[in-house]
Structures are given as C-alpha cells and as structure tokens.
Amino acid sequence: MTFEVPAHSANGKPAGRIRQKNEEAIIKAAEEEFARHGFKGTSMNTIAQNVGLPKANLHYYFSNKLGLYLAVLSNILELWDSTFNNLTVDDDPAEALERYIRAKMEFSRRQPKASRIFAMEVISGGDCLSQYFNQNYLDWFRGRAAVFEGWIAAGRMDPVDPIHLIFLLWSSTQHYADFASQICRVKQCSRLTKQDFEQASDQLVQIILKGCGLKPAVKA
C-alpha cells in the first residue's frame, strides 16, 4: 500500500469534486475515531455510521482501515508541508517565517486531533509512515533547508542550522495541539481559545525570529 503526500511531488492530480467532498467527510469522521480509540480500537462500521454512509460505500473510497488511517496521516502532512512549499529564497525571511508559524498554529487550532494522531504514530515507532520518509521526502526536506541556506549565504539572517530550525518550527507549533491538555492545566482553563493561539503565535514569532537575527514586524 502506497503512502503519498502531494506536497512532495509535482505529479499529484486532484480528485473529482464529489469524490473529494466525500473523502474529506470520511477523513474527518475517521480523525475523531482514531484520536479517541487508536488504530486498533477503531471500527470501519462506526466511521461509516458517523459519516452517514453504508459500509460498502465507505470501502469504495477506502478499501480497508489501514488505507483510511494512512489517508488521515497524509491529509495532515499535506496541510503542513504544502504550506512550507511557499517559502522561497526571494522572500523576506522575517515575513515568510511569520506567515509559516501563524499558518502552522492555525492548523493546530483547527485540526488538533489529526496532529495528535500523527504524533502518536511517530512515538509508537512510525511503522505506517515508513513510506513517507522516502527519497521524495528527503529531496523535499533538503529543498526547504536550501531556502534557509540561501538566506544565510546572502546575509539576510544569522547562520543557524537549517535542520534544527525546521525541527523547532514544527515542534513548537504542533505542541499547542499535541499537548493542549498540559497547557490548559498550567493556564487553568478548560480549553485553548482562538485568542490563546493568537497570543502564542505572537510569542513564537518573536522568539524564533529574534533567534535567527530577524526583526518581527510591528503589529498595528
């Protein structure tokens, strides 16, 4: 079974509108179940019921539970990684990094369950992601690192290790989805609000940009 993330390839073709709409509804229902019960505890029958489709129709889109689980993982990775594709050496580093940090934080706010499913998969060994870390992924990652190297070579930001900077960008933004319960206990609140995410985004932008020798834009 293949695992594909369109952001890593220029050959991805969009699905038909109706199929895409149905797949999105199925993936959303699957996120709820996988986040609540894990891969082993999730039932295809329950997902079909939650999305309002006969089980046979569900299998038309995803032949088995593993295929649906991989689609959930691929969906969140596509959101994260396609956004990272927008960084280019011609961009202003401060503006580009701020846009990316805020976009990733918005994904954490809107799709925390998908982020947690990905995190648990990696923590458990990442067997289902073995095809994800392929040559396309390595080429894509090196291309992202090359953007930072270009900025550094041009003297537009301080010399930092691009690999560790990328890891920092990912971990800091996804923390607010994966460890929301811990943050809520510290902040003594029941859930993180949109304002909480906006304030956290402001702080991450300031800390990360200053660590790269960049000046955050002054908010109006």
Side-chain angles (χ1 to χ4, degrees):
M1 183 172 294
T2 59
F3 185 96
E4 297 179 354
V5 177
H8 302 160
S9 172
N11 300 320
K13 296 181 179 180
R17 184 175 299 176
I18 295 177
R19 183 182 184 93
Q20 188 176 30
K21 182 179 179 181
N22 289 339
E23 286 182 352
E24 287 174 355
I26 293 169
I27 288 173
K28 183 177 180 180
E31 284 179 3
E32 294 285 341
E33 292 300 308
F34 287 131
R36 185 177 305 164
H37 304 292
F39 177 76
K40 292 183 179 179
T42 293
S43 163
M44 289 286 276
N45 187 54
T46 302
I47 294 173
Q49 291 176 353
N50 291 346
V51 82
L53 287 175
K55 188 176 180 181
N57 286 28
L58 183 64
H59 283 289
Y60 170 77
Y61 293 99
F62 301 97
S63 59
N64 54 47
K65 185 167 69 172
L66 177 60
L68 180 51
Y69 180 68
L70 292 178
V72 170
L73 293 174
S74 177
N75 184 59
I76 190 64
L77 287 167
E78 170 64 11
L79 289 173
W80 288 342
D81 296 351
S82 62
T83 302
F84 212 21
N85 283 347
N86 295 330
L87 296 179
T88 72
V89 292
D90 295 325
D91 291 331
D92 176 87
E95 293 177 358
L97 282 176
E98 179 169 355
R99 283 196 304 270
Y100 180 66
I101 291 168
R102 294 190 186 281
K104 282 288 271 75
M105 286 292 283
E106 185 65 6
F107 290 143
S108 288
R109 184 179 76 86
R110 290 181 176 272
Q111 295 187 283
K113 292 184 176 66
S115 181
R116 291 169 200 156
I117 293 168
F118 174 80
M120 290 307 300
E121 172 63 28
V122 173
I123 290 169
S124 64
D127 291 342
C128 292
L129 288 169
S130 59
Q131 293 186 50
Y132 167 61
F133 299 110
N134 56 22
Q135 190 60 49
N136 280 344
Y137 171 81
L138 293 177
D139 292 342
W140 172 85
F141 187 95
R142 288 165 183 155
R144 300 304 83 212
V147 172
F148 295 102
E149 290 168 351
W151 287 337
I152 293 167
R156 302 176 69 190
M157 64 178 282
D158 286 354
V160 298
D161 187 318
I163 292 176
H164 290 293
L165 175 56
I166 292 172
F167 290 158
L168 175 61
L169 289 167
W170 289 347
S171 61
S172 60
T173 52
Q174 287 155 226
H175 180 89
Y176 289 87
D178 302 342
F179 295 93
S181 61
Q182 178 193 40
I183 298 171
C184 286
R185 288 181 181 274
V186 172
K187 290 175 63 65
Q188 296 184 316
C189 60
S190 59
R191 65 180 183 86
L192 296 178
T193 65
K194 183 177 181 180
Q195 184 179 14
D196 289 326
F197 276 91
E198 289 174 350
Q199 290 174 347
S201 296
D202 289 343
Q203 291 300 308
L204 287 182
V205 167
Q206 183 178 33
I207 293 167
I208 293 174
L209 265 61
K210 284 193 173 183
C212 295
L214 301 171
K215 185 177 181 180
V218 177
K219 295 185 69 174

